[in-house]
Amino acid sequence: MNYNSIITGLYYMLIYADGSVNEKEVASIKHMIKAEGLNEAEFNVQMRMLESKDKGILFSDCMIGLKKLTHEQQVRVVAWLCVVANADGFMERTEWQLIYKIYHKELNLPLNEIFTVQKELSKMIWEQSTLTIL
C-alpha cells in the first residue's frame, strides 16, 4: 500500500467507525484530497472498492503500510483522521478508539506532534474556506 491508499483506507474506516456517515466528515475530505494532491476520481473509486473488503484485513493492510511510511507521514495521516473526526464538532467514541489504536498502540506516536499537525491542517482548511467565501 502506498501513502494514498493508506490514507484512503483509514479515512474509510474512520467515517464508518460509528456506524453512520456524517456529511461534514465527508465534506472535509475535499480539503484532504486537495492538500494531499490525491486524484478525486481515483479516491472515489477506491472508496467504493473498500465497501466489499473485510474491515479487519483492511486495518491490518493499512497498519503494515503505515509502518513503512516516514514518521512525518505517519503523524500527518493520523492528524488528518483527527481533522475528519472533528469535522462535525465532536469526535465520536468509536472514532477516538480507532485513532488511539493507530497512533498509540500500533505506532507509538507522540500525541503532541499529532495535535500540532492537526492544528496546521485545520488552519489551512479554515483559510481555504475563507478564501472561497470572499
Side-chain angles (χ1 to χ4, degrees), residues 8-88:
T8 303
L10 292 175
Y11 169 79
Y12 177 86
M13 292 182 64
L14 180 74
I15 64 168
Y16 288 102
D18 61 359
S20 63
V21 178
N22 181 290
E23 289 180 33
K24 291 182 180 178
E25 291 173 349
V26 172
S28 70
I29 198 60
K30 299 243 183 236
H31 297 287
M32 186 183 82
I33 288 170
K34 183 178 179 183
E36 295 301 318
L38 303 176
N39 178 301
E40 188 170 356
E42 184 179 312
F43 178 86
N44 291 330
V45 168
Q46 283 185 19
M47 288 291 289
R48 283 191 294 280
M49 288 175 32
L50 291 173
E51 291 173 3
S52 62
K53 187 160 186 169
D54 177 270
K55 305 312 175 246
I57 293 171
L58 175 59
F59 182 80
S60 178
D61 289 348
C62 286
M63 290 308 101
I64 290 168
L66 199 52
K67 289 175 181 178
K68 293 178 182 177
L69 297 179
T70 66
H71 176 81
E72 291 76 18
Q73 289 174 313
Q74 292 173 348
V75 169
R76 188 166 176 94
V77 167
V78 175
W80 271 119
L81 295 177
C82 292
V83 168
V84 170
N86 284 309
D88 59 356

